[in-house]
Amino acid sequence: MFSERLTGEQSLSQDFEALSVSRRLVRSVSQKLRKKNQRGGSEEEDDGKGISIRCLSLYGRAGGCKVGADTGEEFGDSSSRRRSSASDEGKGYKLICGAEETGVDCFSYGVKERFWKKHNRKDFELEESIRNSRMHIFLPDDILEMCLVRLPLTSLMTARLVCKKWRYLTSTPRFLQMRREGSHQNPWLFLFGAVKDGYCTGEIHAFDVSLEQWYRIDANVLRGKFMFSVASIQDDIYIVGGCSSLTNFGKLDKSSFKTHKGVILFSPLTKSWRKVAPMKYARSAPILGILEVCSDFSAGQIHLSRQDRRPRTRVGGVSDVYEDPHRLSLRRQYRNAIDENEASLLPNRKSYKFVRPKSDQAGTKVCKRFVLIAVGGHGSWDEPLDSGEIYDSLSNKWTEIQRLPVDMGVVRSGVVCKGIFYVYSETDKLAGYDIERGFWFGIQTTPFPPRVVEYSPELVSCNGQLFMFFVSWCEGDGQIGRRNKAVRKLWELDLLYLTWTEVSVHPDAPMDWNAAFMADRNLIFGVEMFKIFGQVLKFLTVCDVSDKEMHWSHISRNHVTHEFDAISCLTKSMAVIHL
Amino acid sequence: MSSSSTTTTTTRLLMLKASDGVTFEVEEAVATKLGAINNMVEEEGSEDLICLPNVNGKFLGMVLEWCKKHANNNTNSDKGNDEVNKWWDKEFVMDLDQNTLYHLLMAADYLSGTELVDLLTEKVASMIRGKKVEEIRETFKIKSDFLPGQEEEIRKKNSWAFE
């Protein structure tokens, strides 16, 4: 069966995986330790009397930063997030920010509520005098955190280089969570699939929209790969499937290529790569949908078992012998063994998952869980696929889902909107997949906007609304001699009445048949790439959906795509995330 | 004006006593801009003297000055006041030296003056934003404690996000 084909990229990223596991272990252990500390602290919270007594002594020793901080930690209330660097990272921290012992950490934050009425004038005068004698003071960690959380990504990266303490403070899961929840993140575009001189460079071109700055990220894992799909959620990007040339490594070569089922998770914030479970089927350019779900979500498993599965048929099928002429099956067995090993690693990975995206605060037990759907695309023999599968980040497993509706045709675009994965096909059919209940349904909309078939329609979801980009011919305006031009329009589907409404006209003449459009939060970004006058140009546009006018504006004047090959227009893909 | 009538009828003076014994007499409407004081007033409304052992008089004064401006500007609520507040906030943080800024920030945080904390943390953030590592270290008087080569290693690891 072709689902068991090998994927070369797995072996490529194997080494990388091994490296990152050990690092993860270290991190999770230290986090557990910290949790333990905090819990210990909150148990003694109720002992009000004890607190105030200790607190007094705390003031008495105001000069000793470590004493003050540690006491505050142990008897602190669980709601306050005060942590001292000393208790977090061991004594080593004391040296970090110079030799000054500051009195600042000695603020008795942990017990402040109970301490309003206590009058400790004398002690405070003492503290004050100590403080004034210092040349410079430092902010308590959590206030510093509140400042650092406001930084845009590039400044944050710089801040991480300042000292170990800053690096630590800005790298904790809790900090990253705070940053996500705050409003200080800015959109970034990630452009994949650049081809230069026939080679798939694997380079990712990242664009900081707020500062209009391009960055190039080298991604060896992606070198030689083409026609993969990307989907982003929160601050991660999944890179799914794709092809690579068998005979000309690294080249975009469609004569003999291998299609992959591997899935890679790219975290731009940490610039880390992680292999996740491979798909059941090899796919190039699958249509992806991604959704965050609650932790008790079950992705239509029950329905799946009931559903009548059509026998798998392949277009232009090739026997297994053909597929595997050079005793590659040995490798296949080896690969299976590895997959089993992976399964045994799963508990580890799970606990890591619990820790990583969440704060280390007690009480926030909700775990981030995503489902990623991949449907269609092309299989190992470049045949169009009508199968689909769904990945659950919690179990790190792919499960097959119901096949696409029979008369659907080749799906060209898909997006998740309000728990439904919508797909649109070449033959202008719209279908939805209910992710929770696990079935497909056809959607009859009236009327379909007219479109020029050469241009791929693009579904976009934003703010709970479903949009589609169609390119259509301009209505003749009655003037003779005018050439009819094509325009790209944005239509919104009314999800209740299933009617399309034209909401916006894209300002650019549609040059790219494969223009990519992506939405994040309330913004839709578009990238068009095309070759003209011997150069590949790209146009980046953005539209704010929450704005009534839905006005498009151009961003980035930089010409990063000049040295790209024209084929990049076809192989490109884009992800947008707020970082 | 209905909104002002409610404030005038309930206007009550609170005494706030700072760590160094300095006392401030402020209208309740002003002091309750600070979450901590608001809580106390709601909890035990009878007491008029509030001791704040963790805040020095100098900084408490500044915090209250800020509260007063914002409380006054908020009573007659029209759009123009947002502008006034913004302008005034800008002035407020402009000339703060770092020491004052820090103490003020800690005082504001201690008194749960959320808006003021936002303003001040933003000021600190603006001192970091767009700066080079050395400049940040200089501003905040921090010595690098990375081992030789370690910084370069991290820089390399994150290289895509640097110039």
Side-chain angles (χ1 to χ4, degrees):
Chain A
M1 238 200 320
F2 66 96
S3 68
E4 282 170 3
R5 284 201 62 183
L6 311 176
T7 57
E9 139 261 61
Q10 282 178 337
S11 57
L12 273 176
S13 44
Q14 208 78 51
D15 294 355
F16 172 79
E17 181 72 6
L19 272 173
S20 63
V21 163
S22 62
R23 207 181 52 210
R24 242 179 279 145
L25 267 177
V26 171
R27 208 183 304 160
S28 72
V29 165
S30 70
Q31 265 153 357
K32 265 178 215 154
L33 271 175
R34 196 177 325 129
K35 258 187 200 162
K36 217 172 169 183
N37 276 344
Q38 286 182 344
R39 220 169 292 138
S42 58
E43 273 165 24
E44 297 189 43
E45 204 194 351
D46 291 333
D47 189 1
K49 200 176 169 191
I51 285 171
S52 45
I53 290 167
R54 275 170 224 269
C55 192
L56 276 169
S57 66
L58 184 154
Y59 286 125
R61 284 182 278 173
C65 179
K66 199 189 107 209
V67 174
D70 278 347
T71 318
E73 172 84 356
E74 262 184 55
F75 298 95
D77 57 339
S78 56
S79 67
S80 86
R81 301 173 282 101
R82 308 284 154 178
R83 296 174 288 112
S84 78
S85 48
S87 58
D88 266 338
E89 286 273 282
K91 313 298 178 221
Y93 249 9
K94 279 273 87 36
L95 300 168
I96 282 166
C97 290
E100 294 100 323
E101 272 198 316
T102 70
V104 175
D105 269 349
C106 303
F107 267 52
S108 70
Y109 287 102
V111 289
K112 59 183 173 189
E113 283 81 11
R114 298 173 193 276
F115 221 70
W116 287 106
K117 303 282 144 69
K118 302 282 175 195
H119 200 51
N120 281 293
R121 189 169 159 185
K122 202 177 141 199
D123 293 322
F124 257 81
E125 275 169 3
L126 177 68
E127 191 191 43
E128 197 62 29
S129 67
I130 288 166
R131 202 188 292 156
N132 289 341
S133 71
R134 303 291 171 201
M135 284 298 289
H136 195 80
I137 64 154
F138 293 97
L139 286 169
D141 287 357
D142 61 334
I143 294 187
L144 186 56
E145 246 180 2
M146 283 155 71
C147 302
L148 293 172
V149 90
R150 296 175 162 265
L151 297 175
L153 185 66
T154 41
S155 300
L156 186 67
M157 292 292 194
T158 315
R160 282 185 181 162
L161 288 171
V162 168
C163 64
K164 280 183 182 166
K165 178 170 152 175
W166 281 34
R167 178 166 171 75
Y168 172 77
L169 284 178
T170 52
S171 311
T172 62
R174 201 173 58 83
F175 179 85
L176 298 178
Q177 179 71 12
M178 267 165 70
R179 220 174 149 264
R180 252 197 296 272
E181 283 164 4
S183 52
H184 309 290
Q185 290 186 321
N186 293 303
W188 283 69
L189 302 186
F190 290 85
L191 199 58
F192 294 81
V195 180
K196 289 180 190 170
D197 303 325
Y199 278 91
C200 306
T201 58
E203 282 170 6
I204 303 169
H205 293 266
F207 180 62
D208 179 351
V209 177
S210 63
L211 298 175
E212 297 209 8
Q213 181 81 46
W214 282 95
Y215 298 93
R216 206 189 68 200
I217 310 171
D218 284 318
N220 287 333
V221 213
L222 294 179
R223 194 164 288 167
K225 279 187 134 195
F226 53 95
M227 299 309 276
F228 49 83
S229 300
V230 298
S232 63
I233 187 121
Q234 289 202 348
D235 40 37
D236 289 330
I237 301 173
Y238 285 92
I239 297 148
V240 183
C243 310
S244 56
S245 171
L246 280 174
T247 44
N248 290 311
F249 182 76
K251 280 227 171 197
L252 195 149
D253 166 20
K254 275 250 168 189
S255 58
S256 77
F257 63 89
K258 177 173 161 184
T259 310
H260 300 287
K261 49 186 174 182
V263 182
I264 305 165
L265 182 65
F266 172 49
S267 308
L269 272 185
T270 49
K271 204 198 166 193
S272 61
W273 299 86
R274 192 158 65 89
K275 200 182 68 169
V276 298
M279 291 183 290
K280 294 196 173 293
Y281 298 97
R283 292 171 197 275
S284 64
I287 308 301
L288 303 181
I290 195 159
L291 172 74
E292 188 182 341
V293 293
C294 53
S295 48
D296 56 348
F297 175 84
S298 74
Q301 307 294 356
I302 312 141
H303 298 261
L304 192 67
S305 54
R306 271 204 270 118
Q307 129 214 346
D308 52 331
R309 286 200 196 157
R310 295 179 4 237
R312 270 173 224 131
T313 49
R314 286 200 305 254
V315 186
V318 184
S319 77
D320 277 356
V321 182
Y322 248 81
E323 178 200 342
D324 197 0
H326 303 297
R327 293 207 329 228
L328 285 171
S329 56
L330 265 181
R331 248 170 69 203
R332 188 194 302 165
Q333 280 162 19
Y334 167 69
R335 181 69 54 210
N336 287 346
I338 285 180
D339 283 349
E340 272 165 34
N341 283 344
E342 250 172 33
S344 68
L345 275 173
L346 215 59
N348 259 341
R349 193 169 277 169
K350 247 186 216 166
S351 67
Y352 165 66
K353 271 203 155 311
F354 267 96
V355 173
R356 198 189 60 107
K358 254 303 163 192
S359 61
D360 49 1
Q361 252 175 305
T364 44
K365 281 272 150 66
V366 196
C367 141
K368 296 276 178 237
R369 188 175 165 194
F370 313 119
V371 290
L372 172 65
I373 304 181
V375 300
H378 286 76
S380 302
W381 299 270
D382 217 15
E383 80 285 13
L385 300 172
D386 64 351
S387 64
E389 44 195 307
I390 190 165
Y391 169 79
D392 183 347
S393 71
L394 196 65
S395 61
N396 190 30
K397 271 198 182 114
W398 287 88
T399 323
E400 224 178 308
I401 60 170
Q402 205 181 6
R403 273 156 190 270
L404 286 160
V406 186
D407 51 351
M408 190 69 195
V410 176
V411 288
R412 294 302 300 268
S413 179
V415 76
V416 174
C417 180
K418 291 185 171 172
I420 306 289
F421 178 46
Y422 292 93
V423 290
Y424 196 82
S425 77
E426 253 172 17
T427 50
D428 293 314
K429 293 212 167 65
L430 183 68
Y433 179 77
D434 188 317
I435 297 170
E436 195 166 358
R437 283 176 279 181
F439 58 83
W440 286 101
F441 52 93
I443 300 169
Q444 298 291 326
T445 62
T446 52
F448 263 120
R451 76 173 178 102
V452 185
V453 287
E454 284 81 3
Y455 291 94
S456 172
E458 280 284 320
L459 281 169
V460 172
S461 165
C462 195
N463 269 358
Q465 294 162 281
L466 185 67
F467 298 99
M468 171 107 70
F469 286 92
F470 287 107
V471 172
S472 50
W473 294 112
C474 250
E475 298 289 320
D477 52 4
Q479 280 180 280
I480 301 162
R482 282 273 169 97
R483 274 170 68 190
N484 208 358
K485 359 172 249 186
V487 281
R488 180 171 274 128
K489 290 177 177 174
L490 180 63
W491 298 73
E492 185 186 352
L493 180 65
D494 185 316
L495 295 174
L496 191 63
Y497 298 106
L498 301 178
T499 49
W500 292 98
T501 323
E502 182 188 321
V503 288
S504 173
V505 178
H506 198 275
D508 293 340
M511 298 291 280
D512 184 354
W513 292 359
N514 254 337
F517 290 92
M518 278 293 154
D520 196 31
R521 302 196 183 167
N522 56 335
L523 300 173
I524 300 179
F525 292 91
V527 60
E528 279 194 276
M529 261 163 70
F530 50 90
K531 188 168 185 175
I532 192 163
F533 309 133
Q535 279 179 325
V536 172
L537 299 183
K538 55 111 199 37
F539 281 96
L540 287 183
T541 44
V542 63
C543 173
D544 186 347
V545 174
S546 58
D547 178 29
K548 274 268 177 290
E549 309 239 312
M550 303 254 306
H551 180 72
W552 287 87
S553 40
H554 287 88
I555 46 175
S556 170
R557 312 247 173 265
N558 192 304
H559 306 295
V560 286
T561 52
H562 275 187
E563 71 263 44
F564 287 14
D565 289 2
I567 192 79
S568 308
C569 307
L570 209 69
T571 56
K572 72 168 179 302
S573 48
M574 181 178 67
V576 182
I577 39 184
H578 276 74
L579 288 177
Chain B
M1 290 220 291
S2 61
S3 63
S4 65
S5 71
T6 50
T7 48
T8 45
T9 48
T10 57
T11 289
R12 186 165 72 115
L13 292 179
L14 293 176
M15 293 284 281
L16 302 183
K17 195 165 184 180
S19 65
D20 49 1
V22 182
T23 54
F24 294 86
E25 205 177 41
V26 283
E27 287 175 27
E28 188 183 325
V30 172
T32 47
K33 286 232 84 169
L34 301 167
I37 293 179
N38 194 32
N39 281 351
M40 293 190 61
V41 169
E42 275 173 12
E43 260 175 41
E44 37 204 315
S46 57
E47 293 202 34
D48 285 346
L49 179 72
I50 296 172
C51 293
L52 303 167
N54 278 351
V55 191
N56 180 289
K58 183 184 163 196
F59 305 113
L60 182 58
M62 291 178 80
V63 171
L64 290 173
E65 188 194 355
W66 182 88
C67 290
K68 214 176 270 174
K69 269 281 187 289
H70 278 253
N72 286 348
N73 288 342
N74 282 358
T75 45
N76 40 352
S77 55
D78 58 87
K79 278 268 166 85
N81 268 311
D82 261 6
E83 293 296 305
V84 176
N85 277 353
K86 259 187 206 142
W87 177 83
W88 198 82
D89 280 350
K90 220 170 158 186
E91 291 283 295
F92 186 74
V93 293
M94 189 132 76
D95 301 324
L96 292 178
D97 66 88
Q98 214 170 320
N99 216 33
T100 317
L101 175 63
Y102 279 16
H103 281 111
L104 211 51
L105 185 46
M106 283 186 283
D109 178 60
Y110 170 66
L111 297 165
S112 316
T114 322
E115 286 174 66
L116 184 55
V117 170
D118 281 347
L119 176 69
L120 296 170
T121 47
E122 181 54 40
K123 166 77 180 172
V124 177
S126 73
M127 292 157 68
I128 305 171
R129 215 171 279 146
K131 291 220 175 111
K132 293 201 168 64
V133 187
E134 290 73 24
E135 292 169 338
I136 299 174
R137 285 195 193 123
E138 171 75 14
T139 313
F140 293 88
K141 309 270 190 300
I142 295 170
K143 263 194 210 154
S144 169
D145 54 349
F146 289 117
L147 298 171
Q150 207 174 1
E151 183 185 332
E152 201 43 49
E153 196 182 304
I154 300 165
R155 196 189 282 273
K156 217 170 159 189
K157 203 180 146 214
N158 292 330
S159 59
W160 71 268
F162 300 103
E163 256 63 18

